[in-house]
Amino acid sequence: MSKRIAGAATIGLAAVLALSACGSGSDGNGGGDGGDKAAGGPVTLKMVAADYGDGPTAENSGDKFWKSVVDEFQAANPDIKVEVQVINWNDIDKQVATMVQNGQVPDILQTGDYSGFVQDGLLHKVDEVLSPNTQSDLLEKFAEFGKVDGTAYGIPFVSSARALFYNKDLFEKAGIAEPPKTWDELKADAEKLKKAGVSQPFGLPLGQEEAQAESFLWFMGNGGGYKDDSGKWAIDSPQNVETFTFIKGLHDAGLTTPNPGTKDRKTVWEDFAAGKVGMVNGGPMSIPIFESGGLTNYGVTAIPGKSGPMDTTLGVEDWIMAFNKNGHQEQIRKFFDFFYSSSAVQKISDTYKLLPVTKSGIEKLSSDEKLKPFLDALPNATFYPFTDPKWSEVNTAIKQTIGSAVSGDPAKVLGEIQKIAEGS
Amino acid sequence: MQQMPALKRVARKLEPLAWIGPAMVLIAVVVVWPVIEMIRSSFLKISRFGVVQGSNGTGNYAKLFDEADFGGVMIRSVIWVVAVVALTVLISLGLAQLFNQRFPGRRVTRWALIAPWAASVVMTSIMFKWMLDPEVGLINMIRRDLGLIDALGGADADPLGAASTAMPWLIAVAVFVSVPFTTYALLAGLATIPAEVYEAARVDGASRWRTYWSVTLPLLRPALTVAALINVMNVFNNFPIIWVMTHGQPGYSTATSTIFMFILKGSDIGESAAMSVVNFGMVIVLVAIFLKVTNWKTEVPR
């Protein structure tokens, strides 16, 4: 008897351990929807989304945003329940990977990349989960990036573009009339700012949060990029090495954020908001951070390139996608169509200053003065080479190591990343 | 005895199983099985999202050993463990001795010592990260007021930005969170030493140092060995402190093998599994060396 009890206890304990191990990333609310379906009751859609806000307790948290969307949706569709789990950007990739490894995929995922899941055959095609009406409202150029080998899998969710923000008060204090247009002007202005006592004349976040964006913007300013025109990886191209040599020069002269290879963009944006940074590359989504920090007297302009303002910028698209494993195609379609026609799209732009991906959404925003520079930049935007299967691995390497090119040897650091990109 | 039916005899023989069986099952499920699974996945080709794409032979290991940062990461891990454990044990020996004395307020100070232990390690690490912020960090403000640095905001005020200054801080935080447990383990050890041996030492006219060296330390050895051993494993596998404070950056220059493994997980799960196996091997080797050095089996000479 005691053996049986002990045995049962053992199995129970093991199950608890196994469950808690699997659920470590999912707050333990995974599973369970299969039972609902068998019973013929309401279907529960499990959704995982990235947090565009300032964490779970903030007024603009993803939890609060999605709760308002889901409440509205559930009121209209009482037979579908939606459980949303919001995860911050630093952890979402790894947590989703853990879910996939454990066979606990969500029905809907909203994050920064979709292409990795396509190779593993995990996603619904867009045609299966989005009505033609909604599809035709998406900007063609954006929807195009959602395709792998001609078939659409990723649905554009939000987009953003980048520009140079500069602190007008600090510029005035340093006696600078105009924001810089070239690298030389940028350096000269940074020196003036330094003399005026600004501790970080140019904010340079090359830490793991978004080093890939900051580096890309600098590469573009010198006609470089992650790939060359023929589509081959060109991370250690002569232009890129020259670019980082220039950045290294800025850093060595004390004109940037100290130790940029360890600084996340959020920290640097907060420093800009606090008036400690003269200029910094940012996007519409940095506006709320600047304003909540009390900074309102800032200007926005095109990012300086080596010999003139850049005619392109970094465009970022985030995605929403549907997994095909749990067989909730119909319910997912209902939710997507509801979402794209609801006021939620407008709410994202208002709350997070992200740019819409639908024609109707952009039309509604065209009168917003603050977003105008970014809406104008979108048509010319350049995107990450994220449809390349090597991108995620390259991206990991960039995030971790590219910042050390500023303190070390640019050619060597970029060469190491190129080696990873070219590896099998 | 010989008349005992065969069945009963077998049952008799199997009886111990009833007692150790559950424990064996538990160990098999929660210890052995994950280890086998880990070793197995280190030979598989796995997509970034965890879908197995077939065998990869020893490819994952070849790729891992070929990483430019692999050697540095492993050396750093060993330095990290040795430095943190050595400092922790030294400080804890002193603190345990202090807290073993009777003095007013001993209860309060003993409780206070628990604080860093009771607080979540992630929380402690975030606090230290904030206190070391180059623009607004409290520690940096104190350093400026003491005249140790000229101004906030520069590289001087950014100890976490470069490996040479970040590692000492990381080690300090790791020692800070390890000391309470170690001290309490040693306090428990001190409590088991009978008062008679000290009396005997006094009668023999031994000095304080001599008493500590020849009486206290040898009798403390069991507690000391256990405490240090648990620390070795804990510190080697420690993840949150470095992850929160530096992410192993700049580059991989503050990453230990656990951090390296976690970053690899984002790009190549098979390679990350290979790193886990290497990590696992390292812990076993470190523990073996430790047990050899401390001669844990030999009896304490009395």
Side-chain angles (χ1 to χ4, degrees), chain B residues 71-101:
Chain B
V73 165
M74 294 317 281
I75 293 170
R76 200 168 310 115
S77 307
V78 173
I79 297 175
W80 162 255
V81 171
V82 171
V84 174
V85 174
L87 284 172
T88 303
V89 166
L90 278 179
I91 293 172
S92 301
L93 277 174
L95 275 178
Q97 210 58 41
L98 178 68
F99 284 144
N100 205 35
Q101 310 302 317

Side-chain angles (χ1 to χ4, degrees), chain B residues 31-61:
Chain B
V31 179
V32 180
W33 179 59
V35 170
I36 294 173
E37 197 58 25
M38 172 179 80
I39 295 173
R40 204 174 63 90
S41 18
S42 73
F43 292 101
L44 294 175
K45 192 170 174 57
I46 303 173
S47 90
R48 182 161 72 100
F49 296 108
V51 178
V52 176
Q53 295 169 332
S55 169
N56 200 13
T58 52
N60 292 331
Y61 289 92

